[in-house]
Amino acid sequence: MFTFGAILATIFLFIFGVFLIWGLIQLFRKKSTRKPFLLSGISLAVAIVGIVLVFIYPAPPVTQNTAEKAESKTIKEDDKVKEASDQKKKSDSEDKAKKEKQAAELKKTQALEESKKLKEQQAKEAELKKKKDAAELAKKQEQEKIALEEQKKKAAELEEKKKQEAKKKAAATSAPPADTVYGQLPKKKLTKRSSELYSDEKNGITYIVGDNNNIFQVEVDFDMALGINIEMDKSFLVEHAMDYMADDANLIQTKSDREFVYESKKYKKKYDVLFVNDNDENIVTRVIVSKHM
């Protein structure tokens, strides 16, 4: 209240002076001074109230000396410094804890990211391995398939080869020998006289071929000077005729003393044999072996 009264008295004393001066000026001008003096009176009354308050509520007695005030001030300042230091430490501690927490969370996040990346990498590697294994398996199966097909092909070729060889063997067995009627021309030097006529001039043998170049007829010429008699030299003539028939050929029919029919049961073939005497009835100059007609 002392402070309030002093302030109140000071302010309204100042206002009182202002209104008093204003009233005096109005007085010198001979104008109405009622309002200025009224306001100045009110201001003086308020100022007096403030002065009364100052006396009623005097200022508290001074109980501390300067040293105590200084010490109290120092203590307060120290307390403030300590409080500021404690606050700073607390703030630093909180910041450190916050940073440590953030670092831990960041580390945890990084660990999770690393773990996630590792899992994704492992998943990718597993998928790649799976695809690689599948590709290798498919390749292996394809190779096995190709190998199996090759084996089948080789087996088929071998089987076909065996069949062909068997056919050839059967054909060789069933076909009459070369240089015999029904057989092929012999592998010796022959003179080709036409598309169907070949001759062995050295031995006086003539071949006539038919279908598939098989021998249709063989004709053996003898020099008339040899005087081969059909009756006395029949065995000789038969031997020459047998040279151009199958080994198992046997006489099955005698048509005359010059015409005969032989048969090979092995090859199921028949042969006509003819002893020809061109100029002399008893001298044979040719032996003809041909396919049976």
mmCIF file of all heavy atoms in Angstrom, residues 140-179:
data_model
loop_
_atom_site.group_PDB
_atom_site.id
_atom_site.type_symbol
_atom_site.label_atom_id
_atom_site.label_comp_id
_atom_site.label_asym_id
_atom_site.label_seq_id
_atom_site.Cartn_x
_atom_site.Cartn_y
_atom_site.Cartn_z
ATOM 1 N N LYS A 140 18.546 -82.120 -68.829
ATOM 2 C CA LYS A 140 18.937 -83.518 -68.640
ATOM 3 C C LYS A 140 17.882 -84.453 -69.225
ATOM 4 O O LYS A 140 18.212 -85.443 -69.897
ATOM 5 C CB LYS A 140 19.124 -83.793 -67.148
ATOM 6 C CG LYS A 140 19.656 -85.185 -66.834
ATOM 7 C CD LYS A 140 19.861 -85.360 -65.348
ATOM 8 C CE LYS A 140 20.379 -86.770 -65.038
ATOM 9 N NZ LYS A 140 20.555 -86.967 -63.571
ATOM 10 N N GLN A 141 16.607 -84.124 -68.957
ATOM 11 C CA GLN A 141 15.523 -84.946 -69.497
ATOM 12 C C GLN A 141 15.511 -84.902 -71.020
ATOM 13 O O GLN A 141 15.288 -85.926 -71.675
ATOM 14 C CB GLN A 141 14.182 -84.455 -68.944
ATOM 15 C CG GLN A 141 13.991 -84.763 -67.466
ATOM 16 C CD GLN A 141 12.701 -84.175 -66.922
ATOM 17 O OE1 GLN A 141 12.076 -83.316 -67.550
ATOM 18 N NE2 GLN A 141 12.276 -84.633 -65.755
ATOM 19 N N GLU A 142 15.788 -83.686 -71.573
ATOM 20 C CA GLU A 142 15.834 -83.555 -73.022
ATOM 21 C C GLU A 142 16.997 -84.373 -73.599
ATOM 22 O O GLU A 142 16.848 -85.050 -74.624
ATOM 23 C CB GLU A 142 15.997 -82.076 -73.398
ATOM 24 C CG GLU A 142 15.958 -81.784 -74.883
ATOM 25 C CD GLU A 142 14.622 -82.096 -75.516
ATOM 26 O OE1 GLU A 142 13.612 -82.122 -74.807
ATOM 27 O OE2 GLU A 142 14.602 -82.325 -76.738
ATOM 28 N N GLN A 143 18.153 -84.298 -72.897
ATOM 29 C CA GLN A 143 19.305 -85.083 -73.346
ATOM 30 C C GLN A 143 19.021 -86.575 -73.258
ATOM 31 O O GLN A 143 19.386 -87.339 -74.158
ATOM 32 C CB GLN A 143 20.538 -84.725 -72.499
ATOM 33 C CG GLN A 143 21.078 -83.321 -72.774
ATOM 34 C CD GLN A 143 22.221 -82.957 -71.845
ATOM 35 O OE1 GLN A 143 22.450 -83.616 -70.828
ATOM 36 N NE2 GLN A 143 22.942 -81.906 -72.180
ATOM 37 N N GLU A 144 18.382 -86.967 -72.149
ATOM 38 C CA GLU A 144 18.024 -88.381 -71.999
ATOM 39 C C GLU A 144 17.038 -88.801 -73.087
ATOM 40 O O GLU A 144 17.132 -89.911 -73.619
ATOM 41 C CB GLU A 144 17.420 -88.611 -70.619
ATOM 42 C CG GLU A 144 18.436 -88.517 -69.478
ATOM 43 C CD GLU A 144 17.785 -88.672 -68.118
ATOM 44 O OE1 GLU A 144 16.533 -88.689 -68.064
ATOM 45 O OE2 GLU A 144 18.533 -88.771 -67.123
ATOM 46 N N LYS A 145 16.085 -87.883 -73.389
ATOM 47 C CA LYS A 145 15.108 -88.166 -74.436
ATOM 48 C C LYS A 145 15.808 -88.329 -75.779
ATOM 49 O O LYS A 145 15.512 -89.264 -76.544
ATOM 50 C CB LYS A 145 14.086 -87.028 -74.496
ATOM 51 C CG LYS A 145 12.973 -87.264 -75.497
ATOM 52 C CD LYS A 145 11.998 -86.100 -75.489
ATOM 53 C CE LYS A 145 10.893 -86.310 -76.523
ATOM 54 N NZ LYS A 145 9.947 -85.157 -76.542
ATOM 55 N N ILE A 146 16.747 -87.394 -76.054
ATOM 56 C CA ILE A 146 17.491 -87.456 -77.317
ATOM 57 C C ILE A 146 18.320 -88.733 -77.374
ATOM 58 O O ILE A 146 18.371 -89.421 -78.404
ATOM 59 C CB ILE A 146 18.391 -86.214 -77.469
ATOM 60 C CG1 ILE A 146 17.531 -84.961 -77.655
ATOM 61 C CG2 ILE A 146 19.342 -86.379 -78.645
ATOM 62 C CD1 ILE A 146 18.303 -83.659 -77.614
ATOM 63 N N ALA A 147 18.991 -89.048 -76.221
ATOM 64 C CA ALA A 147 19.802 -90.261 -76.167
ATOM 65 C C ALA A 147 18.936 -91.500 -76.376
ATOM 66 O O ALA A 147 19.329 -92.438 -77.089
ATOM 67 C CB ALA A 147 20.533 -90.333 -74.824
ATOM 68 N N LEU A 148 17.748 -91.479 -75.744
ATOM 69 C CA LEU A 148 16.825 -92.616 -75.899
ATOM 70 C C LEU A 148 16.359 -92.733 -77.347
ATOM 71 O O LEU A 148 16.300 -93.852 -77.900
ATOM 72 C CB LEU A 148 15.622 -92.427 -74.973
ATOM 73 C CG LEU A 148 14.594 -93.574 -74.957
ATOM 74 C CD1 LEU A 148 15.253 -94.864 -74.490
ATOM 75 C CD2 LEU A 148 13.426 -93.243 -74.049
ATOM 76 N N GLU A 149 16.054 -91.571 -77.949
ATOM 77 C CA GLU A 149 15.649 -91.586 -79.351
ATOM 78 C C GLU A 149 16.778 -92.080 -80.240
ATOM 79 O O GLU A 149 16.546 -92.825 -81.208
ATOM 80 C CB GLU A 149 15.206 -90.186 -79.779
ATOM 81 C CG GLU A 149 13.873 -89.760 -79.165
ATOM 82 C CD GLU A 149 13.488 -88.344 -79.553
ATOM 83 O OE1 GLU A 149 14.322 -87.667 -80.197
ATOM 84 O OE2 GLU A 149 12.363 -87.919 -79.218
ATOM 85 N N GLU A 150 18.025 -91.650 -79.903
ATOM 86 C CA GLU A 150 19.185 -92.120 -80.659
ATOM 87 C C GLU A 150 19.347 -93.628 -80.509
ATOM 88 O O GLU A 150 19.628 -94.335 -81.492
ATOM 89 C CB GLU A 150 20.455 -91.400 -80.175
ATOM 90 C CG GLU A 150 20.547 -89.952 -80.610
ATOM 91 C CD GLU A 150 20.748 -89.804 -82.108
ATOM 92 O OE1 GLU A 150 21.356 -90.720 -82.698
ATOM 93 O OE2 GLU A 150 20.282 -88.817 -82.669
ATOM 94 N N GLN A 151 19.172 -94.100 -79.261
ATOM 95 C CA GLN A 151 19.266 -95.542 -79.022
ATOM 96 C C GLN A 151 18.196 -96.290 -79.812
ATOM 97 O O GLN A 151 18.466 -97.334 -80.421
ATOM 98 C CB GLN A 151 19.128 -95.836 -77.531
ATOM 99 C CG GLN A 151 20.337 -95.419 -76.701
ATOM 100 C CD GLN A 151 20.141 -95.687 -75.229
ATOM 101 O OE1 GLN A 151 19.071 -96.099 -74.801
ATOM 102 N NE2 GLN A 151 21.183 -95.447 -74.444
ATOM 103 N N LYS A 152 16.958 -95.728 -79.764
ATOM 104 C CA LYS A 152 15.874 -96.355 -80.516
ATOM 105 C C LYS A 152 16.176 -96.351 -82.011
ATOM 106 O O LYS A 152 15.932 -97.341 -82.712
ATOM 107 C CB LYS A 152 14.560 -95.620 -80.251
ATOM 108 C CG LYS A 152 13.983 -95.862 -78.860
ATOM 109 C CD LYS A 152 12.668 -95.118 -78.697
ATOM 110 C CE LYS A 152 12.061 -95.375 -77.322
ATOM 111 N NZ LYS A 152 10.781 -94.633 -77.150
ATOM 112 N N LYS A 153 16.718 -95.194 -82.467
ATOM 113 C CA LYS A 153 17.048 -95.072 -83.885
ATOM 114 C C LYS A 153 18.127 -96.071 -84.273
ATOM 115 O O LYS A 153 18.018 -96.755 -85.303
ATOM 116 C CB LYS A 153 17.514 -93.641 -84.173
ATOM 117 C CG LYS A 153 17.761 -93.361 -85.644
ATOM 118 C CD LYS A 153 18.166 -91.908 -85.845
ATOM 119 C CE LYS A 153 18.457 -91.635 -87.322
ATOM 120 N NZ LYS A 153 18.882 -90.227 -87.528
ATOM 121 N N LYS A 154 19.173 -96.148 -83.420
ATOM 122 C CA LYS A 154 20.252 -97.100 -83.694
ATOM 123 C C LYS A 154 19.739 -98.533 -83.641
ATOM 124 O O LYS A 154 20.138 -99.370 -84.461
ATOM 125 C CB LYS A 154 21.387 -96.902 -82.685
ATOM 126 C CG LYS A 154 22.186 -95.633 -82.916
ATOM 127 C CD LYS A 154 23.305 -95.498 -81.902
ATOM 128 C CE LYS A 154 24.119 -94.232 -82.144
ATOM 129 N NZ LYS A 154 25.204 -94.078 -81.139
ATOM 130 N N ALA A 155 18.866 -98.787 -82.634
ATOM 131 C CA ALA A 155 18.297 -100.131 -82.519
ATOM 132 C C ALA A 155 17.459 -100.458 -83.749
ATOM 133 O O ALA A 155 17.523 -101.574 -84.285
ATOM 134 C CB ALA A 155 17.450 -100.230 -81.254
ATOM 135 N N ALA A 156 16.679 -99.427 -84.206
ATOM 136 C CA ALA A 156 15.860 -99.637 -85.401
ATOM 137 C C ALA A 156 16.734 -99.849 -86.628
ATOM 138 O O ALA A 156 16.461 -100.727 -87.464
ATOM 139 C CB ALA A 156 14.940 -98.434 -85.616
ATOM 140 N N GLU A 157 17.808 -99.027 -86.704
ATOM 141 C CA GLU A 157 18.733 -99.191 -87.837
ATOM 142 C C GLU A 157 19.411 -100.555 -87.796
ATOM 143 O O GLU A 157 19.568 -101.207 -88.837
ATOM 144 C CB GLU A 157 19.793 -98.078 -87.799
ATOM 145 C CG GLU A 157 19.238 -96.700 -88.152
ATOM 146 C CD GLU A 157 20.286 -95.615 -88.005
ATOM 147 O OE1 GLU A 157 21.392 -95.921 -87.497
ATOM 148 O OE2 GLU A 157 20.001 -94.456 -88.391
ATOM 149 N N LEU A 158 19.813 -100.973 -86.573
ATOM 150 C CA LEU A 158 20.439 -102.282 -86.432
ATOM 151 C C LEU A 158 19.464 -103.393 -86.791
ATOM 152 O O LEU A 158 19.831 -104.361 -87.482
ATOM 153 C CB LEU A 158 20.932 -102.459 -84.986
ATOM 154 C CG LEU A 158 21.676 -103.769 -84.678
ATOM 155 C CD1 LEU A 158 22.931 -103.866 -85.533
ATOM 156 C CD2 LEU A 158 22.041 -103.846 -83.197
ATOM 157 N N GLU A 159 18.209 -103.204 -86.329
ATOM 158 C CA GLU A 159 17.183 -104.195 -86.643
ATOM 159 C C GLU A 159 16.925 -104.249 -88.148
ATOM 160 O O GLU A 159 16.802 -105.338 -88.732
ATOM 161 C CB GLU A 159 15.894 -103.843 -85.900
ATOM 162 C CG GLU A 159 14.784 -104.879 -86.035
ATOM 163 C CD GLU A 159 15.122 -106.202 -85.368
ATOM 164 O OE1 GLU A 159 15.971 -106.202 -84.453
ATOM 165 O OE2 GLU A 159 14.534 -107.222 -85.779
ATOM 166 N N GLU A 160 16.875 -103.046 -88.749
ATOM 167 C CA GLU A 160 16.670 -102.987 -90.196
ATOM 168 C C GLU A 160 17.847 -103.602 -90.938
ATOM 169 O O GLU A 160 17.663 -104.321 -91.941
ATOM 170 C CB GLU A 160 16.492 -101.519 -90.625
ATOM 171 C CG GLU A 160 16.166 -101.323 -92.096
ATOM 172 C CD GLU A 160 14.848 -101.929 -92.508
ATOM 173 O OE1 GLU A 160 13.960 -102.085 -91.642
ATOM 174 O OE2 GLU A 160 14.697 -102.240 -93.704
ATOM 175 N N LYS A 161 19.036 -103.317 -90.414
ATOM 176 C CA LYS A 161 20.236 -103.902 -91.024
ATOM 177 C C LYS A 161 20.212 -105.415 -90.926
ATOM 178 O O LYS A 161 20.542 -106.127 -91.891
ATOM 179 C CB LYS A 161 21.481 -103.351 -90.324
ATOM 180 C CG LYS A 161 22.783 -103.767 -90.982
ATOM 181 C CD LYS A 161 23.969 -103.122 -90.283
ATOM 182 C CE LYS A 161 25.279 -103.534 -90.934
ATOM 183 N NZ LYS A 161 26.448 -102.935 -90.243
ATOM 184 N N LYS A 162 19.804 -105.903 -89.748
ATOM 185 C CA LYS A 162 19.693 -107.352 -89.576
ATOM 186 C C LYS A 162 18.659 -107.933 -90.530
ATOM 187 O O LYS A 162 18.868 -109.008 -91.111
ATOM 188 C CB LYS A 162 19.316 -107.671 -88.125
ATOM 189 C CG LYS A 162 20.443 -107.467 -87.124
ATOM 190 C CD LYS A 162 19.981 -107.826 -85.729
ATOM 191 C CE LYS A 162 21.108 -107.649 -84.711
ATOM 192 N NZ LYS A 162 20.675 -107.982 -83.343
ATOM 193 N N LYS A 163 17.537 -107.217 -90.663
ATOM 194 C CA LYS A 163 16.496 -107.685 -91.571
ATOM 195 C C LYS A 163 17.002 -107.729 -93.007
ATOM 196 O O LYS A 163 16.751 -108.688 -93.740
ATOM 197 C CB LYS A 163 15.270 -106.772 -91.477
ATOM 198 C CG LYS A 163 14.461 -106.951 -90.205
ATOM 199 C CD LYS A 163 13.255 -106.020 -90.211
ATOM 200 C CE LYS A 163 12.433 -106.188 -88.925
ATOM 201 N NZ LYS A 163 11.253 -105.271 -88.919
ATOM 202 N N GLN A 164 17.717 -106.646 -93.381
ATOM 203 C CA GLN A 164 18.255 -106.597 -94.738
ATOM 204 C C GLN A 164 19.264 -107.709 -94.974
ATOM 205 O O GLN A 164 19.277 -108.348 -96.031
ATOM 206 C CB GLN A 164 18.910 -105.221 -94.997
ATOM 207 C CG GLN A 164 17.949 -104.053 -95.032
ATOM 208 C CD GLN A 164 16.937 -104.159 -96.156
ATOM 209 O OE1 GLN A 164 17.212 -104.718 -97.213
ATOM 210 N NE2 GLN A 164 15.735 -103.621 -95.908
ATOM 211 N N GLU A 165 20.130 -107.888 -93.926
ATOM 212 C CA GLU A 165 21.111 -108.968 -94.050
ATOM 213 C C GLU A 165 20.421 -110.323 -94.119
ATOM 214 O O GLU A 165 20.835 -111.208 -94.872
ATOM 215 C CB GLU A 165 22.075 -108.928 -92.854
ATOM 216 C CG GLU A 165 23.034 -107.747 -92.907
ATOM 217 C CD GLU A 165 23.930 -107.687 -91.685
ATOM 218 O OE1 GLU A 165 23.690 -108.487 -90.733
ATOM 219 O OE2 GLU A 165 24.854 -106.852 -91.666
ATOM 220 N N ALA A 166 19.350 -110.456 -93.301
ATOM 221 C CA ALA A 166 18.601 -111.714 -93.331
ATOM 222 C C ALA A 166 17.953 -111.909 -94.696
ATOM 223 O O ALA A 166 17.944 -113.023 -95.247
ATOM 224 C CB ALA A 166 17.544 -111.719 -92.232
ATOM 225 N N LYS A 167 17.416 -110.780 -95.240
ATOM 226 C CA LYS A 167 16.806 -110.858 -96.565
ATOM 227 C C LYS A 167 17.839 -111.232 -97.618
ATOM 228 O O LYS A 167 17.583 -112.062 -98.503
ATOM 229 C CB LYS A 167 16.152 -109.524 -96.920
ATOM 230 C CG LYS A 167 14.839 -109.259 -96.218
ATOM 231 C CD LYS A 167 14.241 -107.929 -96.666
ATOM 232 C CE LYS A 167 12.924 -107.658 -95.946
ATOM 233 N NZ LYS A 167 12.335 -106.373 -96.378
ATOM 234 N N LYS A 168 19.003 -110.565 -97.488
ATOM 235 C CA LYS A 168 20.061 -110.873 -98.450
ATOM 236 C C LYS A 168 20.500 -112.320 -98.333
ATOM 237 O O LYS A 168 20.741 -113.000 -99.336
ATOM 238 C CB LYS A 168 21.264 -109.949 -98.210
ATOM 239 C CG LYS A 168 21.027 -108.520 -98.651
ATOM 240 C CD LYS A 168 22.266 -107.671 -98.410
ATOM 241 C CE LYS A 168 22.039 -106.225 -98.840
ATOM 242 N NZ LYS A 168 23.231 -105.379 -98.581
ATOM 243 N N LYS A 169 20.619 -112.727 -97.053
ATOM 244 C CA LYS A 169 21.023 -114.115 -96.822
ATOM 245 C C LYS A 169 19.967 -115.071 -97.355
ATOM 246 O O LYS A 169 20.284 -116.087 -98.003
ATOM 247 C CB LYS A 169 21.231 -114.338 -95.323
ATOM 248 C CG LYS A 169 21.835 -115.683 -94.997
ATOM 249 C CD LYS A 169 22.124 -115.785 -93.521
ATOM 250 C CE LYS A 169 22.754 -117.137 -93.187
ATOM 251 N NZ LYS A 169 23.018 -117.277 -91.745
ATOM 252 N N ALA A 170 18.701 -114.721 -97.078
ATOM 253 C CA ALA A 170 17.616 -115.568 -97.569
ATOM 254 C C ALA A 170 17.570 -115.552 -99.087
ATOM 255 O O ALA A 170 17.361 -116.583 -99.728
ATOM 256 C CB ALA A 170 16.285 -115.085 -97.008
ATOM 257 N N ALA A 171 17.792 -114.323 -99.629
ATOM 258 C CA ALA A 171 17.794 -114.220 -101.086
ATOM 259 C C ALA A 171 18.954 -114.997 -101.679
ATOM 260 O O ALA A 171 18.819 -115.671 -102.706
ATOM 261 C CB ALA A 171 17.873 -112.753 -101.499
ATOM 262 N N ALA A 172 20.111 -114.883 -100.975
ATOM 263 C CA ALA A 172 21.288 -115.624 -101.456
ATOM 264 C C ALA A 172 21.041 -117.114 -101.363
ATOM 265 O O ALA A 172 21.494 -117.897 -102.209
ATOM 266 C CB ALA A 172 22.515 -115.228 -100.649
ATOM 267 N N THR A 173 20.306 -117.487 -100.298
ATOM 268 C CA THR A 173 20.018 -118.918 -100.131
ATOM 269 C C THR A 173 18.989 -119.393 -101.141
ATOM 270 O O THR A 173 19.079 -120.489 -101.676
ATOM 271 C CB THR A 173 19.505 -119.171 -98.702
ATOM 272 O OG1 THR A 173 20.474 -118.693 -97.771
ATOM 273 C CG2 THR A 173 19.268 -120.640 -98.461
ATOM 274 N N SER A 174 17.983 -118.499 -101.386
ATOM 275 C CA SER A 174 16.895 -118.896 -102.287
ATOM 276 C C SER A 174 17.236 -118.651 -103.744
ATOM 277 O O SER A 174 16.619 -119.232 -104.629
ATOM 278 C CB SER A 174 15.613 -118.155 -101.918
ATOM 279 O OG SER A 174 15.810 -116.756 -102.070
ATOM 280 N N ALA A 175 18.176 -117.745 -104.009
ATOM 281 C CA ALA A 175 18.539 -117.443 -105.402
ATOM 282 C C ALA A 175 19.550 -118.459 -105.915
ATOM 283 O O ALA A 175 20.481 -118.842 -105.200
ATOM 284 C CB ALA A 175 19.121 -116.040 -105.488
ATOM 285 N N PRO A 176 19.376 -118.911 -107.097
ATOM 286 C CA PRO A 176 20.340 -119.841 -107.696
ATOM 287 C C PRO A 176 21.722 -119.205 -107.785
ATOM 288 O O PRO A 176 21.839 -117.983 -107.884
ATOM 289 C CB PRO A 176 19.766 -120.111 -109.082
ATOM 290 C CG PRO A 176 18.317 -119.788 -108.953
ATOM 291 C CD PRO A 176 18.243 -118.655 -107.980
ATOM 292 N N PRO A 177 22.777 -120.003 -107.772
ATOM 293 C CA PRO A 177 24.145 -119.466 -107.839
ATOM 294 C C PRO A 177 24.403 -118.747 -109.155
ATOM 295 O O PRO A 177 23.740 -118.983 -110.155
ATOM 296 C CB PRO A 177 25.020 -120.709 -107.702
ATOM 297 C CG PRO A 177 24.128 -121.756 -107.125
ATOM 298 C CD PRO A 177 22.758 -121.462 -107.623
ATOM 299 N N ALA A 178 25.385 -117.833 -109.108
ATOM 300 C CA ALA A 178 25.787 -117.133 -110.331
ATOM 301 C C ALA A 178 26.391 -118.129 -111.321
ATOM 302 O O ALA A 178 26.876 -119.195 -110.946
ATOM 303 C CB ALA A 178 26.789 -116.040 -109.993
ATOM 304 N N ASP A 179 26.352 -117.765 -112.589
ATOM 305 C CA ASP A 179 26.877 -118.592 -113.684
ATOM 306 C C ASP A 179 26.074 -119.878 -113.844
ATOM 307 O O ASP A 179 26.599 -120.886 -114.330
ATOM 308 C CB ASP A 179 28.363 -118.904 -113.476
ATOM 309 C CG ASP A 179 29.059 -119.284 -114.782
ATOM 310 O OD1 ASP A 179 28.473 -119.014 -115.848
ATOM 311 O OD2 ASP A 179 30.164 -119.847 -114.727
#
